[in-house]
Amino acid sequence: MTEVTREQARKFHDGVHVLDGHFDLLMDVEIQRGYGRTKMIETEYLPRFQQGGVHSIVAAVFVEDAFVPEMSLRKALNQISAMHAEAAESPEHIVIAKNLDDLQRARADQKVSFILSLEGAEPLHNDLSLLRVFYELGVRMMGLVWSRRNFVGDGSFFAPVREGKKGGITDFGVRLIEEAEKLGIVIDVSHLNDEGFWDVMEIAEKPVIASHSNSRTVVPTMRNLTDEQIKAIAEKDGLVGLNAFSMFTAANSADATIESLIDHVDYMKKLVGARHIGIGLDLCDDLTKYLPLDKIAKTKEMPFDVVKGHASLPEITRELMKRGYTEAEIEGILGGNFLRVYQEVWR
């Protein structure tokens, strides 16, 4: 281990493009705007992004089980509408990015850029024409499934459940992947089951990502990736985004720390190299207020996130520096590798 001060880590951190590849921001924003709040991102989240030196956020559109399937499309559109309203209310602070120029210009203008992503294709139902609509609204990434079944395929559960035979990618899913690649939408396999994963590897022609998944060898849960899956993503020049959820970070969630998270980086670097690693922290502590009361009580005993909010991101940089990662490797992990994938996939 190399001794690295917080000041040294922060100086380097502030000089690179920092991008979180997965954050369920829009669920919270849409709900709070429904209560009458405005400038939700500017007042609630922007100070944390700025404190943590974050330049870009992938804002996921996530539809809760209670709204699937009948309300999936409406909830997704409501969340995207909320993001556009926030951008219109705070144009001096935030921007929706649809291409690399938008990302780079926002950073130069000291604004935080947001990339829209679907976390699960439920809003499309089985209507492929809706993908173009979401693309025009700014969606540039798409998780095929969440941890449930939809018209595309089957999700991987957080823990074993009683179920029938699992399925791979459906005929609709094949057409959806092909159309997404034509439009320039990044395919995301986090939450997808193993059968579907390998189908995607055969179907996709462009880089594929797992925006918020860790190593299954380090922590054995179906939501993490096997060595073979990580290698397959690397072979397509994609990446795996580190997930800060304690359950996926350490075998015993109560023992999960930032050090545990970086253990996954160490393992995946040896497996495929740092070029194929990013961060997709999936920070959820802010969303626990929407959980049932009995589950809220449990999260107070064992918080979800090993990274305590976006303000703490420089601690990831510091830990990587302490472990001897090169400046180029750290720059890639913090955001550069995501930017490379965007450059290859976005039109």
Side-chain angles (χ1 to χ4, degrees), residues 12 16-19 239-242 265 273-279 320 325-341:
F12 176 81
V16 301
H17 195 123
V18 178
L19 185 153
L239 64 82
V240 178
L242 298 171
V265 182
R275 175 183 174 85
H276 304 292
I277 306 169
I279 55 174
L320 290 169
Y325 283 76
T326 68
E327 291 186 354
E329 288 172 338
I330 298 172
E331 182 175 0
I333 292 167
L334 291 179
N337 293 334
F338 262 106
L339 297 181
R340 184 198 75 247
V341 170

Side-chain angles (χ1 to χ4, degrees), residues 289-300:
K289 58 181 175 283
Y290 300 119
L291 292 174
L293 291 177
D294 61 329
K295 292 186 178 180
I296 290 176
K298 291 181 181 178
T299 61
K300 290 180 179 178

Side-chain angles (χ1 to χ4, degrees), residues 21 58 98 100 103 115-120 131 135 138-145 176-177 179-190 200 204 206-211 233 236-240 337-347:
V58 175
K98 298 181 180 180
L100 278 174
L103 291 173
I115 301 151
L116 293 174
S117 175
L118 295 183
E119 186 170 18
L131 186 62
Y135 178 84
V139 170
R140 293 296 182 271
M141 291 175 56
M142 180 175 62
L144 299 176
V145 303
L176 179 64
I177 292 167
E179 182 64 17
E181 291 196 326
K182 288 179 184 177
L183 289 172
I185 296 174
V186 177
I187 298 298
D188 182 359
V189 296
S190 282
V200 172
K206 296 183 179 180
V208 170
I209 69 165
S211 65
I233 289 172
K236 286 192 173 293
D237 206 20
L239 64 82
V240 178
N337 293 334
F338 262 106
L339 297 181
R340 184 198 75 247
V341 170
Y342 296 159
Q343 187 171 24
E344 293 182 42
V345 177
W346 290 354
R347 295 174 56 188

Side-chain angles (χ1 to χ4, degrees), residues 48-336:
R48 307 181 214 175
F49 297 151
Q50 292 173 332
Q51 187 177 347
V54 181
H55 301 105
S56 303
I57 295 283
V58 175
V61 174
F62 170 68
V63 180
E64 299 168 86
D65 284 341
F67 301 103
V68 177
E70 293 89 349
M71 294 284 288
S72 299
L73 177 59
R74 179 172 175 179
K75 290 296 290 185
L77 292 175
N78 284 350
Q79 289 183 23
I80 292 175
S81 176
M83 182 71 244
H84 279 271
E86 291 279 319
E89 291 168 358
S90 305
E92 68 278 20
H93 296 297
I94 65 177
V95 64
I96 299 171
K98 298 181 180 180
N99 52 55
L100 278 174
D101 286 344
D102 289 344
L103 291 173
Q104 294 162 351
R105 191 180 307 113
R107 182 184 173 191
D109 293 341
Q110 297 185 323
K111 298 179 183 180
V112 176
S113 53
F114 294 85
I115 301 151
L116 293 174
S117 175
L118 295 183
E119 186 170 18
E122 284 84 355
L124 306 176
H125 297 276
N126 61 346
D127 187 348
L128 190 60
S129 68
L130 289 176
L131 186 62
R132 166 67 74 170
V133 175
F134 280 102
Y135 178 84
E136 296 298 337
L137 291 173
V139 170
R140 293 296 182 271
M141 291 175 56
M142 180 175 62
L144 299 176
V145 303
W146 190 66
S147 291
R148 58 195 172 204
R149 178 174 292 182
N150 63 21
F151 280 108
V152 173
D154 285 354
S156 63
F157 294 98
F158 290 71
V161 299
R162 188 170 182 238
E163 59 178 329
K165 289 183 179 180
K166 299 176 182 178
I169 297 299
T170 65
D171 61 324
F172 173 72
V174 172
R175 290 183 286 122
L176 179 64
I177 292 167
E178 293 173 344
E179 182 64 17
E181 291 196 326
K182 288 179 184 177
L183 289 172
I185 296 174
V186 177
I187 298 298
D188 182 359
V189 296
S190 282
H191 285 283
L192 189 61
N193 68 346
D194 290 351
E195 293 81 355
F197 175 93
W198 291 113
D199 284 346
V200 172
M201 292 302 110
E202 292 185 13
I203 299 162
E205 297 182 354
K206 296 183 179 180
V208 170
I209 69 165
S211 65
H212 54 301
S213 297
N214 296 333
S215 163
R216 197 182 299 179
T217 298
V218 178
V219 177
T221 167
M222 292 297 292
R223 270 288 287 109
N224 286 340
L225 300 168
T226 66
D227 291 359
E228 291 72 24
Q229 289 173 330
I230 294 169
K231 289 177 182 178
I233 289 172
E235 287 173 3
K236 286 192 173 293
D237 206 20
L239 64 82
V240 178
L242 298 171
N243 191 324
F245 185 26
S246 59
M247 181 180 177
F248 308 146
T249 303
N252 184 347
S253 298
D255 297 331
T257 61
I258 285 182
E259 289 78 11
S260 305
L261 182 63
I262 305 306
D263 287 343
H264 289 268
V265 182
D266 289 346
Y267 185 82
M268 289 192 284
K269 178 190 171 182
K270 291 177 182 177
L271 199 63
V272 296
R275 175 183 174 85
H276 304 292
I277 306 169
I279 55 174
L281 299 175
D282 195 20
L283 299 181
C284 291
D285 281 346
D286 280 324
L287 303 179
T288 58
K289 58 181 175 283
Y290 300 119
L291 292 174
L293 291 177
D294 61 329
K295 292 186 178 180
I296 290 176
K298 291 181 181 178
T299 61
K300 290 180 179 178
E301 299 172 6
M302 187 191 70
F304 280 13
D305 305 330
V306 301
V307 178
K308 298 309 174 188
H310 285 95
S312 299
L313 255 67
E315 290 301 311
I316 293 178
T317 302
R318 185 184 182 206
E319 186 62 25
L320 290 169
M321 292 174 73
K322 287 167 64 176
R323 297 195 189 197
Y325 283 76
T326 68
E327 291 186 354
E329 288 172 338
I330 298 172
E331 182 175 0
I333 292 167
L334 291 179

